[in-house]
Amino acid sequence: MAQGTIRTSFTQVPECTARLDRCELYVPGTQSKIIPKAAKSAADVIVMDLEDSVAGHEKETARKNVIKALQEVDFGKKTVAVRINGLYSHHMYRDVVDIIEQAGERCDMFIIPMVGNAKDVYMADSLTTQVETMVGRKKRIGFGLIIEATLGMMNINEIAASSKRLESLHFGVADYAASTKSRTTNIGGPNKLYGVLTDKDGDKSRDFFWGDPWHYAMSRIVVAARANGLRPVDGPFGDIADPDGYRAQCQRGAALGFEGKWAIHPSQVAIANEVFSPSEAEVTQAKRVLKAMEDAQAQGLGAVSLDGKLVDIASIKQAEAIVHKSEAIEAGA
């Protein structure tokens, strides 16, 4: 099997552009003084926002700020993205055209909000391609798509396979909650209404166990993304005064298979980086697994026992993912 592909039955799915993506720090395009500070942060990805964090009368100012930052700010090795306005907005085409025509080659990705179906992606791809061709851009801009409404969730499989520009799928939990008419005004996190009560047992007190109202949506995003060689990225957690809550959301996402999570405040960056980085113990164990399988295969064996646990071909892929991420983190340091 060729490097950079995923084995899925007889089908081989090419993986998207490899990027370290543990934490994506969002910065409003209106905050021109904050952008250079974000560039010096520990976040792997800096996303300059032209959409929700920018009021309608400030759209042009924010766009000019972002273009200037792309021209002048030293982002180092970081991935630099711009969340453009949605396809429903007349600001969207101007975002795409002006950034590509004026900002040079530094923009790596467009983050596209409110994607509802594959036709939305086709339109954005067509416009981006036209402008890139016109200016002779050398580096192709990748797409990160935000799934944040019921229409997008319903069509997520076709969306995830809609363009060769795609790199990531993101969960926009706040708009998704509004789209489903969920009874919450929070941005992410648990809901005290969503849980189960243990069975009645005489006069004994009954326990109430909170559930995760976003588990279904997040799982669908992980499956659609990974099946198409993309990175699943969890969206925002609005309570910036609750670092423990943010950590719990990161841990949940990491357990499901997410690559990383948004940060809407600098205080969240270190937590995301820590949770979405393999620990030293995990890396050591992964290398032991790879060595055990190397020895087993040299003896003509397809599986072996390590510390009393079965290790086989699937274990190699799991271990390689951990080691490769560790190496990427070291290379990006």
Side-chain angles (χ1 to χ4, degrees):
M1 183 171 60
Q3 186 177 6
T5 59
I6 303 170
R7 184 186 68 180
T8 55
S9 67
F10 185 67
T11 304
Q12 293 185 8
V13 180
E15 293 197 58
C16 67
T17 302
R19 302 186 193 276
L20 198 56
D21 204 347
R22 297 167 298 171
C23 180
E24 300 192 355
L25 178 59
Y26 273 65
V27 184
T30 51
Q31 304 297 312
S32 57
K33 294 181 180 180
I34 296 179
I35 295 173
K37 296 179 181 179
K40 295 179 181 179
S41 74
D44 296 325
V45 182
I46 303 301
V47 183
M48 292 176 284
D49 187 28
L50 297 177
E51 196 219 11
D52 277 356
S53 67
V54 179
H57 68 280
E58 293 187 301
K59 294 291 187 181
E60 290 189 19
T61 299
R63 188 184 306 119
K64 291 177 181 178
N65 289 343
V66 167
I67 290 171
K68 185 176 181 181
L70 288 168
Q71 293 170 335
E72 299 178 359
V73 174
D74 181 6
F75 291 95
K77 297 179 181 179
K78 297 184 187 302
T79 295
V80 181
V82 178
R83 178 164 71 167
I84 61 175
N85 286 281
L87 278 73
Y88 54 83
S89 168
H90 64 281
H91 296 290
M92 176 268 183
Y93 87 94
R94 183 53 61 192
D95 292 341
V96 172
V97 173
D98 286 3
I99 289 170
I100 297 176
E101 286 188 344
Q102 301 176 30
E105 297 274 337
R106 191 59 187 88
C107 181
D108 298 304
M109 296 180 64
F110 285 150
I111 306 298
I112 305 174
M114 284 291 179
V115 175
N117 53 45
K119 290 179 286 188
D120 288 346
V121 183
Y122 183 88
M123 181 272 184
D125 192 345
S126 176
L127 177 59
T128 301
T129 299
Q130 289 178 48
V131 188
E132 283 183 341
T133 302
M134 179 63 185
V135 302
R137 199 175 202 274
K138 299 176 182 178
K139 183 173 65 176
R140 183 176 71 178
I141 293 175
F143 284 176
L145 310 180
I146 308 178
I147 306 300
E148 50 186 336
T150 52
L151 180 63
M153 193 63 70
M154 181 179 72
N155 295 320
I156 192 168
N157 292 332
E158 69 171 53
I159 289 171
S162 59
S163 169
K164 292 183 179 180
R165 290 185 184 271
L166 301 193
E167 295 191 21
S168 53
L169 296 182
H170 304 240
F171 182 39
V173 63
D175 279 302
Y176 183 78
S179 179
T180 59
K181 302 190 185 304
S182 174
R183 290 179 58 184
T184 181
T185 56
N186 294 331
I187 299 177
N191 188 323
K192 65 181 180 180
L193 300 177
Y194 192 83
V196 293
L197 191 66
T198 55
D199 287 342
K200 188 175 183 180
D201 185 8
D203 295 330
K204 295 180 180 179
S205 61
R206 301 167 71 180
D207 293 320
F208 182 81
F209 294 98
W210 288 37
D212 182 358
W214 315 121
H215 181 83
Y216 165 77
M218 293 180 67
S219 295
R220 283 205 68 181
I221 288 175
V222 169
V223 171
R226 296 301 188 189
N228 288 278
L230 311 178
R231 299 184 299 275
V233 180
D234 193 15
F237 179 71
D239 191 349
I240 59 177
D242 183 11
D244 291 335
Y246 181 75
R247 179 181 295 275
Q249 299 301 301
C250 288
Q251 291 171 333
R252 173 200 59 172
L256 283 175
F258 276 82
E259 194 81 12
K261 186 170 176 63
W262 293 12
I264 58 173
H265 190 271
S267 64
Q268 296 178 330
V269 173
I271 298 173
N273 281 350
E274 177 189 343
V275 174
F276 288 100
S277 298
S279 67
E280 184 177 343
E282 289 173 323
V283 175
T284 298
Q285 180 63 13
K287 291 180 178 179
R288 290 185 67 220
V289 168
L290 294 176
K291 182 62 169 63
M293 279 304 299
E294 181 182 347
D295 293 343
Q297 290 175 339
Q299 301 174 39
L301 302 175
V304 68
S305 176
L306 179 64
D307 301 331
K309 298 178 181 179
L310 176 67
V311 176
D312 60 9
I313 294 294
S315 305
I316 293 179
K317 291 184 287 186
Q318 293 171 324
E320 284 179 340
I322 292 173
V323 172
H324 289 165
K325 189 161 191 177
S326 175
E327 291 172 346
I329 292 170
E330 291 181 6

